[in-house]
Amino acid sequence: DADVTQTPRNRITKTGKRIMLECSQTKGHDRMYWYRQDPGLGLRLIYYSFDVKDINKGEISDGYSVSRQAQAKFSLSLESAIPNQTALYFCATSDLTSGRLGNEQFFGPGTRLTVL
Amino acid sequence: ELKVEQNPLFLSMQEGKNYTIYCNYSTTSDRLYWYRQDPGKSLESLFVLLSNGAVKQEGRLMASLDTKARLSTLHITAAVHDLSATYFCAVDAPSGTYKYIFGTGTRLKVLA
């Protein structure tokens, strides 16, 4: 099945370490997104990309960077992790060409990140 | 700045009862989405509402959109335990940006 996958699913790291979260999709969608979810705060957009050459900051991009290596791959990096980046991270995709669905987004399973 | 507010934030209800979750947003938008999230799981798309007056129904859930009032409702009919989850609405940010602003979610618990 066409899908959105994320690796790793769980990660524990220490303050100051660099880590990368990866997202791959087989849906053939152009748009990809990274979100962060904290209890009581809903989901907040970190970065989004509409194609390989297009990267945009979201609400909370400080401390994060991204790379769109291919249409199907979108990675999120924490250059120097800090404890308040402990959260659940989701990747999502949507289809630029499907007007019927508006901007319906499809989410990956999430990565639970803990920074000690 | 676009803001999306849901209420209530928490809802505990008995099986068989009806209830409505509200989603208000602060700026013009004619596209709104509802998602469900089970604890520790991903978000599952429930409804896509793309115009004023849009109404969608799936099982015991019905969603509607009033773009003039900047309001969407998610109505639950005869709740069952399996509907226990957190429900999020999301609004497309102003035209051309193709990104969501999420509400804070409504955590629903249906008691047997």
Side-chain angles (χ1 to χ4, degrees):
Chain A
D1 286 344
D3 214 343
V4 183
T5 57
Q6 293 183 232
T7 56
R9 295 292 310 280
N10 289 282
R11 178 74 182 268
I12 300 174
T13 191
K14 294 182 178 180
T15 297
K17 294 292 188 181
R18 182 182 188 276
I19 65 162
M20 179 182 290
L21 310 183
E22 298 186 335
C23 176
S24 294
Q25 52 113 348
T26 57
K27 289 184 170 292
H29 289 173
D30 295 297
R31 305 177 200 163
M32 298 186 74
Y33 307 80
W34 275 105
Y35 291 92
R36 165 179 175 158
Q37 185 177 30
D38 298 277
L41 293 179
L43 279 82
R44 293 180 292 168
L45 183 62
I46 306 172
Y47 272 95
Y48 59 107
S49 169
F50 291 163
D51 64 39
V52 174
K53 298 180 180 179
D54 178 79
I55 302 290
N56 303 279
K57 292 183 177 181
E59 304 170 69
I60 55 165
S61 58
D62 287 348
Y64 301 95
S65 63
V66 291
S67 173
R68 184 85 183 263
Q69 301 95 320
Q71 186 204 33
K73 295 184 182 296
F74 192 35
S75 299
L76 176 72
S77 294
L78 287 66
E79 298 299 327
S80 180
I82 56 177
N84 77 1
Q85 292 177 313
T86 294
L88 187 56
Y89 290 85
F90 287 104
C91 174
T93 73
S94 67
D95 185 2
L96 181 66
T97 61
S98 180
R100 180 179 62 84
L101 296 177
N103 188 35
E104 184 183 21
Q105 295 185 15
F106 299 86
F107 286 78
T111 295
R112 185 168 297 280
L113 176 65
T114 302
V115 183
L116 302 176
Chain B
E1 181 186 351
L2 175 59
K3 293 185 178 179
V4 181
E5 296 182 342
Q6 286 182 237
N7 68 83
L9 297 182
F10 299 97
L11 176 56
S12 179
M13 56 191 298
Q14 296 290 329
E15 277 193 331
K17 298 293 186 182
N18 303 332
Y19 208 84
T20 300
I21 298 170
Y22 298 89
C23 174
N24 292 88
Y25 54 98
S26 62
T27 194
T28 302
S29 178
D30 58 2
R31 303 197 299 187
L32 190 140
Y33 311 84
W34 283 97
Y35 287 85
R36 168 181 172 146
Q37 184 181 35
D38 293 303
K41 303 292 186 182
S42 186
L43 280 77
E44 172 191 0
S45 179
L46 291 175
F47 299 110
V48 176
L49 304 171
L50 299 180
S51 62
N52 185 43
V55 178
K56 297 279 184 73
Q57 183 164 4
E58 181 72 35
R60 300 175 187 274
L61 300 177
M62 183 174 70
S64 65
L65 177 61
D66 181 344
T67 59
K68 295 180 181 179
R70 300 178 183 174
L71 171 68
S72 179
T73 60
L74 180 66
H75 186 73
I76 303 158
T77 301
V80 294
H81 180 72
D82 285 352
L83 290 178
S84 298
T86 299
Y87 294 85
F88 291 95
C89 63
V91 177
D92 267 345
S95 180
T97 59
Y98 300 106
K99 59 180 183 179
Y100 284 176
I101 303 296
F102 274 91
T104 51
T106 296
R107 185 175 172 186
L108 171 66
K109 186 173 183 179
V110 181
L111 305 173

